[in-house]
Every structure is written in C-alpha cells, then in structure tokens.
C-alpha cells in the first residue's frame, strides 16, 4: 500500500434469497466491478454487512475477493469491539494475501486518551500491517477530531490512508489535509454524495459503493484529466440515484436490487435486521432508472422495469 490511487469500491456481500452466503454470486460481482473500472476493493466494511457474518463466513468472503480480484489491491475491514478478534482477523486476512486492513475506532471511546490507548493496543497486536483508518462516526458513534487523527498518523507509521466520511465532509477534509504530519492519501465515502468537491479539495479518490461503479471510476478519471465540466455533467445526471442510495441500510437494499437487475448478483437479499423493498420502492427505482436512461448513455434501457434481471 505504498501508493493508493484510483477508485476503491466498497464491495457488497452476496446472499441467496434464503440468506445463505452466495460465493458464486460474489465471483460474478467481483467480475462486474472489474469490468466497470474498479482499481481496488474494500470488503467487509459497514456496507458489506460485515457484522451480519460469522467468523468463518467473513474469512470466506475475504479469501474469495482476494483470489478473484485479478491482482488488484484488496482492503479487508477488520473492525471489531474485541481487540483480540480484530488482531486475529487481521493476521488471518493478511496471510491470505490482503493488501491491508481498514479499522475504525470501537464504539464507546469518548476521550482523546481513550482513542490513543485503544489504537496503541491495536497496533501492538497487528504490528506493521498497513491500515486504512476509518472515520465514520455515523456508524461507530465515535467522533475523532482532526488533531487526534493527525496524532494517530504521527504515532503509527503503518497508517497509510484515511477513509473520511464524517459530516460536514468538506471543511474537515481540508483541515485533515493541512494537519497531516506526513503525506497520507484521503479516500472519501458517504456514498459519493460530495465526490466532485472532495476531489477538488484534495481527496485522493473515492472509496465508496454505488450501483453504477463505472460512474465513480469515470468521475475519478475525468478529475485526474482536469475535465471538471465532465465531472459535473456525469455527477448531476446520477445524483438523484446517488442520493437515493445514501439512505442508510434502506439505501443499501436499493443498491443491491439495482445490481441484481444489472446481473452482478443473483439476489439482493440482506440479512436481518434489514428492510424488504415493497412495490412502492420498486416503482421509485424504475422511475429513477428511466430518467437516467433518458439522460445518460451509461444506463441501458433494459434495466427499466421490475421484471428485468
């Protein structure tokens, strides 16, 4: 992970319609991501439903992505309330060939001292494993200040990237870039809702999920080429769907349904506790895809309609 560059997709976990882990669909999903411009993978994150998996299932998902990614970097989320569990999972996935791990602070940390001591124990256990430090207070309940994050980067050289998805995104991003004691790429999530502005402020690339990963890959490529008008044009077309998918676990259900329609996976099933999309949800997806098909050549008209797979 000496150099992180390009779009890292936050990869989904695939299940059958009855809730069993579906590794065959995971293969087709991985291939789908690669066809659509993904340059790196982040598996077993919050949107990857990591906390709904058993340990053996988590290891199976990690192993499958690493084996199927065609040499692309694979970051595995190993965050856990138990440091012992986190350390064990980190060593296991690194032995499988993972590029690095993504770690967020455990829920319940309240002070700067708590945060410092927690990560001191984590890094004591995982050694020099490359780490993406995840800042996602909406999921963890832990608010890391810019000063705390800069101190962690200074204290732990194996932190080689930051996954930034705190809100408001843009002012904190600027402060992070100014405060870093050494160059550390900042990757942005939040369902890519603020991606153009984040890239212009100095974010390295998106690390996000979206039912049209080729859109995020294209935005990243256009930005690198200096075509900001092209960035804005594509983003404006897809923003209604990006916004629609940015509604927490319900938005993730929408994303998985669209990817099912696109042939990336056999089922959009999510394990409980999770929503089940009804006919109103499906009608809204139909309308969004219909509007996109009129406005963008990146959407096939065949996607429109609940019966299409």
């Amino acid at each position: 992970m000496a150099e992180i560059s390009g779009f890292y997709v936050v990869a989904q976990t695939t299940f059958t319609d009855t809730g069993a882990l579906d590794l065959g669909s995971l293969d087709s999903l991985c291939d789908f991501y690669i066809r659509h411009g993904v340059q790196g993978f982040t598996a077993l994150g919050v949107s990857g439903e990591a906390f709904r998996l058993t340990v053996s299932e988590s290891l199976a998902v990690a192993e499958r992505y690493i084996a199927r990614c065609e040499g692309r970097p694979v970051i595995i989320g190993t965050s856990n309330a138990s440091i012992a569990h986190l350390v064990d999972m980190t060593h296991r996935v690194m032995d499988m060939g993972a590029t690095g791990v993504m770690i967020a602070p455990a829920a319940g940390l309240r002070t700067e001292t708590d945060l410092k001591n927690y990560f001191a124990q984590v890094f004591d256990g995982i050694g020099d494993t490359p780490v993406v430090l995840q800042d996602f207070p909406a999921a963890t309940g832990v608010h890391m200040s810019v000063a705390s994050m800069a101190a962690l980067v200074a204290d732990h050289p194996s932190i080689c990237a930051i996954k930034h998805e705190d809100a408001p995104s843009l002012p904190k991003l600027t402060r992070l870039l100014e405060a870093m004691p050494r160059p550390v790429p900042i990757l942005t999530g939040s369902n890519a809702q603020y991606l153009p502005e984040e890239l212009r402020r100095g974010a390295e690339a998106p690390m996000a999920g979206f039912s049209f990963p080729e859109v995020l890959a294209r935005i990243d490529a256009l930005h690198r080429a200096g075509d900001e008008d092209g960035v804005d044009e594509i983003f404006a077309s897809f923003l209604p769907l990006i916004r629609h998918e940015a509604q927490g676990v319900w938005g993730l259900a929408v994303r998985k349904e669209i990817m099912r329609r696109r042939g990336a996976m056999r089922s959009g099933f999510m394990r409980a506790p999770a929503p089940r999309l009804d006919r109103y949800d499906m009608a809204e997806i139909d309308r969004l895809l219909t509007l996109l098909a009129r406005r963008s050549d990146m959407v096939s008209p065949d996607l429109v309609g609940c019966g299409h797979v």
Side-chain angles (χ1 to χ4, degrees), residues 6-7 36-39 188 191-200 203-208 210 212-239 242 296 298:
F7 167 40
H36 290 95
V38 165
Q39 292 172 283
T188 62
N191 296 92
Q193 294 176 85
Y194 317 105
L195 182 57
E197 293 80 12
E198 289 167 338
L199 291 174
R200 289 169 195 147
E204 175 60 32
M207 181 183 275
F210 185 42
F212 286 82
E214 63 269 39
V215 170
L216 304 190
R218 182 64 176 154
I219 287 173
D220 181 63
L222 288 170
H223 169 73
R224 292 176 189 277
D227 185 358
E228 298 302 333
D229 288 342
V231 166
D232 289 340
E233 182 177 353
I234 292 177
F235 186 76
S237 293
F238 282 86
L239 181 56
I242 289 172
S296 174
M298 299 180 77

Side-chain angles (χ1 to χ4, degrees), residues 15-62:
F15 303 101
T16 68
D17 283 336
T18 58
L21 190 63
D22 185 354
L23 293 178
S25 264
L26 193 144
D27 288 344
S28 66
L29 177 59
C30 188
D31 296 345
F32 170 86
Y33 284 139
I34 291 171
R35 286 197 309 274
H36 290 95
V38 165
Q39 292 172 283
F41 291 81
T42 304
L44 299 180
V46 174
S47 295
E49 301 173 75
F51 297 111
R52 296 185 175 95
L53 302 177
T54 66
V55 172
S56 61
E57 288 174 332
S58 295
L59 291 169
V61 168

Side-chain angles (χ1 to χ4, degrees), residues 74-193:
V74 179
I75 309 299
I76 302 296
T78 59
S79 300
N80 197 279
S82 163
I83 291 178
H85 177 98
L86 183 158
V87 169
D88 180 63
M89 285 294 293
T90 295
H91 288 308
R92 291 195 192 198
V93 300
M94 292 305 292
D95 287 344
M96 290 176 183
T99 309
V101 297
M102 183 167 69
I103 300 175
L109 302 179
R110 292 290 178 262
T111 69
E112 306 285 316
T113 301
D114 289 342
L115 192 68
K116 181 176 181 178
N117 291 342
Y118 173 79
F119 277 104
Q121 293 177 67
V122 166
F123 283 99
D124 184 58
I126 67 173
D128 59 359
T129 300
V131 169
V132 176
L133 175 64
Q134 185 177 23
D135 182 24
F136 192 12
T140 64
V142 179
H143 293 267
M144 295 193 289
S145 70
V146 169
S148 290
M149 295 173 70
L152 289 174
V153 169
D155 291 344
H156 304 290
S158 55
I159 295 178
C160 49
I162 290 173
K163 171 74 180 293
H164 165 57
E165 40 195 343
D166 194 2
S169 168
L170 300 175
K172 187 169 184 178
L173 172 61
T174 295
R175 296 198 305 273
L176 281 170
L177 288 166
E178 292 173 347
M180 285 299 104
R182 55 183 170 84
V184 175
I186 298 178
L187 308 165
T188 62
S190 301
N191 296 92
Q193 294 176 85

